[in-house]
Amino acid sequence: MSKPPRKIYNFKKAATQSIKETLEANSRDFFLNEPMNKSVNENWTTFKNYVLNTTEKYVPHHFSKGKQSHPWIDHSIVKQMRKRDKLYSAAKKTKSKRLWASYKKQRNNVTATLRQSYTHYMEEVLGPSLETSPKRFWSFIRSQRKDAVSIPTLISDGETCVSDLSKAEALNKQFSSVFTDENLSAIPNKGHSAFSSIQDLDIELQGVIKQLTQININKAGGPDSIPARILHDYATELAPMLHFIFRQSYATGTLPDDWRKAFVTGIYKKGVKSSPENYRPIV
């Protein structure tokens, strides 16, 4: 099962000043539109659209390639590999001894160059990156895994689940079934507590800014698709809107729809791999 192309933002080439000015204007509009008369979900949706539209407009991006790429193979090596392949095709077609000799020489040169480039990458680039850029290091380690990481064919209610969608639905049904649906209308009365009551939570603007600036920018975004880098780098501009949404959510006891969603991965535990019951949900 191959992964779909993933959008990758190039924040090094982002129009930072334009982003800052746009988010400041968005924040002013947010409060001019009387958010106190709207629901938490409506206010969150407005905030999310502001952030996503600004990111899309001012941050260049590209999509990840479907097939695996090797970082030690640069453009010059690709050219040499293409030359090798052309010589092979010509030699095979003409059966010329001269072309076969040229092909073998080019093949050996490419092999030697690839080995040198790979060794240099491992020793001079990847090795030191464990401390300076752990994301690059572990991305390479994951790319070298040989074992299957996808969910195999599942059997749910007597039906065979082969497609990604049917597997996801089978696992979702299994994971949902093991959670208890609490009856909130019959909460038992435990009587007077021997402990003092917890004071009301006070969410302050500076506290929101602090939390945003502590976000790990190397972490992937959640179901809302908001990049962690945007929340971290533009905390001052975004905090007033989030501060209002957090306080409104706490006061009303409601959550935006996006906050109820999460990416869930099914991890195999033991037993028959085709049974959804043998997978554990990991968020």
Side-chain angles (χ1 to χ4, degrees):
M1 179 175 63
S2 59
K3 293 183 177 180
R6 178 171 55 90
K7 181 180 289 188
I8 301 175
Y9 289 104
N10 185 354
F11 287 100
K12 292 183 178 180
K13 295 184 178 180
T16 55
Q17 187 60 32
S18 296
I19 295 176
K20 180 181 176 67
E21 294 173 354
T22 301
L23 292 178
E24 287 176 343
N26 290 156
S27 183
R28 290 193 295 269
D29 292 341
F30 179 86
F31 290 101
L32 287 174
N33 290 326
E34 300 181 344
M36 67 289 298
N37 296 328
K38 299 179 181 178
S39 68
V40 173
N41 195 62
E42 289 175 318
N43 287 328
W44 165 255
T45 301
T46 299
F47 170 83
K48 182 177 71 171
N49 290 337
Y50 282 155
V51 175
L52 294 180
N53 291 338
T54 301
T55 304
E56 188 73 17
K57 185 175 181 179
Y58 295 113
V59 183
H61 66 269
H62 66 278
F63 289 93
S64 60
K65 297 179 180 179
K67 60 181 181 179
Q68 177 182 338
S69 60
H70 301 295
W72 58 87
I73 300 180
D74 57 21
H75 183 65
S76 62
I77 296 179
V78 172
K79 290 179 63 177
Q80 293 299 315
M81 294 171 70
R82 289 173 179 169
K83 181 179 179 181
R84 174 202 61 191
D85 295 341
K86 288 181 179 179
L87 284 171
Y88 174 78
S89 298
K92 186 177 181 181
K93 182 178 181 180
T94 63
K95 297 181 174 55
S96 168
K97 293 183 178 180
R98 180 181 62 82
L99 288 177
W100 275 117
S102 297
Y103 158 70
K104 292 179 180 179
K105 181 178 180 180
Q106 181 65 17
R107 179 197 60 190
N108 294 340
N109 289 338
V110 169
T111 301
T113 302
L114 281 172
R115 288 174 178 169
Q116 292 175 1
S117 182
Y118 177 80
T119 301
H120 176 269
Y121 180 81
M122 296 295 291
E123 295 179 353
E124 304 297 332
V125 180
L126 188 63
S129 71
L130 181 57
E131 295 184 357
T132 59
S133 180
K135 184 177 181 180
R136 172 190 290 177
F137 178 85
W138 291 112
S139 294
F140 174 79
I141 296 300
R142 286 193 296 270
S143 72
Q144 300 305 299
R145 292 181 59 174
K146 301 298 182 182
D147 56 320
V149 295
S150 61
I151 302 295
T153 300
L154 300 175
I155 306 297
S156 178
D157 295 333
E159 297 184 0
T160 302
C161 304
V162 179
S163 67
D164 293 343
L165 178 60
S166 61
K167 293 177 187 178
E169 290 175 342
L171 289 175
N172 181 62
K173 182 179 179 180
Q174 168 60 27
F175 296 157
S176 300
S177 68
V178 299
F179 285 93
T180 303
D181 188 9
E182 298 288 353
N183 182 6
L184 300 180
S185 63
I187 300 177
N189 186 357
K190 299 180 66 177
H192 179 72
S193 174
F195 303 96
S196 59
S197 300
I198 300 176
Q199 296 181 354
D200 289 339
L201 177 65
D202 186 16
I203 303 174
E204 297 182 351
L205 178 60
Q206 289 303 316
V208 176
I209 295 176
K210 180 180 179 181
Q211 293 300 318
L212 291 176
T213 55
Q214 291 179 348
I215 289 177
N216 186 343
I217 62 175
N218 293 318
K219 295 294 185 180
D224 56 25
S225 301
I226 296 178
R229 184 68 175 267
I230 290 291
L231 296 173
H232 176 278
D233 291 359
Y234 303 94
T236 303
E237 291 74 31
L238 297 174
M241 290 183 284
L242 285 176
H243 176 244
F244 180 90
I245 294 172
F246 291 159
R247 290 176 65 91
Q248 184 186 30
S249 176
Y250 178 67
T252 60
T254 57
L255 295 173
D257 293 340
D258 283 342
W259 296 5
R260 300 173 182 268
K261 301 175 183 177
F263 291 131
V264 179
T265 301
I267 302 298
Y268 171 70
K269 297 184 293 184
K270 61 180 180 179
V272 181
K273 289 190 174 182
S274 61
S275 174
E277 297 178 355
N278 294 325
Y279 290 82
R280 176 185 295 109
I282 301 296
V283 178

